[in-house]
Amino acid sequence: MIKPFLLTAVAPAFLNTSRRSIFPAAMSTSSSVNAPGGDQKCDTPAAVIFLHGLGDTPAGWSSLQRNLPSLRPNLGKNVHYVFPPAPTIGISVNGGMQMPGWFDLYDWPIGVGVKDDKEGKIKAAIQIEETVEKLEKEMDIPPSRIVVGGFSQGGAVALLTAYHRRTEGKVPFAGCVCLSGWLTLKEDLNVTEEVAKSTPLFWAHGEYDDKVLFEQQAHGVGVLKEHGVKVEERSYPMGHESDYDEIDAMAEFLEKVLFPSSS
């Protein structure tokens, strides 16, 4: 039996601070950038939406809701964590095998110039936008108080949601996080001036990544900077995975964009 290609990683479980569940089980909650805008108090509700990778589930990254507040206490004060589940779909590079995935993959490894599953990626972005709408409707958390992020495939969808699809008239997100992901649908990228100004990006990547190649970071960061996006980029001596230093830097970024007066 051929072992399928997966794009999974488990968030480092290095801390054990309790964190209450925010959403029902179906929602699965289990260079420096200066944050734009005015001061925000820690009692102003905010949210972090984080998307898992191919073949993974929300449980793979749900420890962030414990780890991040332990690193930056502000991230536990009225910050709500949401870990949406990807649909189960057939993946072409795995012979059509059904598994959790945000969109199809046609090339392996994933370097600059891989073929895009445009329809699948747009569907994934729409799913995240529905999550954003639910946060605003049910918890009174506007997009300007939400950071959308993800690992690998999840990072690719986060970038698409934060920059491609926040067109004129849509409120920009507070920030975006891409861990070991890649910029997709580049021919459709048109970042509005308001989004470029209001939605900074944290992009971290493993220098030895043999799945989503390290070249993807420099390429994606370069394209987004050309569109005016403020980017904090980090690289680490690791493969397609995550580690403590990366999560610590991510926590610092989240605190800066959600609570600039405290950072």
Side-chain angles (χ1 to χ4, degrees):
M1 181 178 177
I2 299 176
K3 186 177 180 180
F5 298 117
L6 300 175
L7 294 173
T8 63
V10 176
F14 47 85
L15 297 161
N16 294 300
T17 301
S18 62
R19 180 71 182 154
R20 67 187 178 92
S21 179
I22 303 301
F23 281 86
M27 293 296 291
S28 298
T29 61
S30 51
S31 48
S32 179
V33 173
N34 294 319
D39 291 350
Q40 293 286 351
K41 297 180 179 179
C42 294
D43 59 357
T44 304
V48 175
I49 302 173
F50 198 88
L51 287 63
H52 62 78
L54 176 68
D56 202 358
T57 68
W61 286 90
S62 62
S63 62
L64 288 178
Q65 63 187 343
R66 302 186 303 274
N67 294 345
L68 292 172
S70 296
L71 292 165
R72 298 290 188 279
N74 285 336
L75 299 179
K77 298 176 181 178
N78 224 7
V79 176
H80 307 288
Y81 294 85
V82 187
F83 303 93
T88 298
I89 61 174
I91 302 298
S92 294
V93 295
N94 288 332
M97 182 181 294
Q98 297 282 314
M99 62 180 59
W102 295 105
F103 51 83
D104 200 1
L105 292 173
Y106 307 107
D107 302 296
W108 194 267
I110 301 168
V112 175
V114 294
K115 181 181 177 181
D116 279 324
D117 171 19
K118 184 173 182 177
E119 181 180 356
K121 288 169 181 172
I122 291 175
K123 284 183 179 179
I126 290 173
Q127 179 182 335
I128 306 311
E129 289 168 348
E130 291 172 348
T131 300
V132 171
E133 291 172 2
K134 184 172 184 176
L135 281 167
E136 186 164 23
K137 181 179 179 180
E138 298 185 4
M139 306 191 74
D140 200 27
I141 303 175
S144 60
R145 297 290 294 144
I146 296 174
V147 174
V148 59
F151 175 81
S152 193
Q153 261 203 345
V157 175
L159 291 172
L160 179 63
T161 307
Y163 299 110
H164 295 66
R165 296 187 54 84
R166 301 314 282 182
T167 52
E168 294 289 349
K170 291 187 177 181
V171 178
F173 292 112
C176 181
V177 170
C178 177
L179 305 184
S180 302
W182 69 103
L183 184 65
T184 67
L185 303 181
K186 294 181 286 289
E187 68 279 2
D188 296 335
L189 181 63
N190 182 22
V191 183
T192 69
E193 183 177 348
E194 186 178 10
V195 167
K197 179 181 178 181
S198 304
T199 309
L201 169 65
F202 176 83
W203 189 325
H205 216 106
E207 296 167 2
Y208 310 127
D209 195 331
D210 61 352
K211 296 183 173 103
V212 179
L213 302 183
F214 184 44
E215 66 183 26
Q216 287 280 19
Q217 184 188 39
H219 177 72
V221 167
V223 171
L224 288 166
K225 283 185 174 180
E226 288 177 359
H227 283 79
V229 177
K230 296 181 286 292
V231 183
E232 179 176 336
E233 53 190 299
R234 302 286 185 96
S235 62
Y236 300 91
M238 62 183 185
H240 196 66
E241 55 193 309
S242 184
D243 71 359
Y244 176 91
D245 290 338
E246 180 180 63
I247 300 303
D248 185 48
M250 172 182 165
E252 180 183 14
F253 171 82
L254 290 173
E255 185 175 53
K256 281 191 294 187
V257 298
L258 292 176
F259 306 107
S261 62
S262 302
S263 58

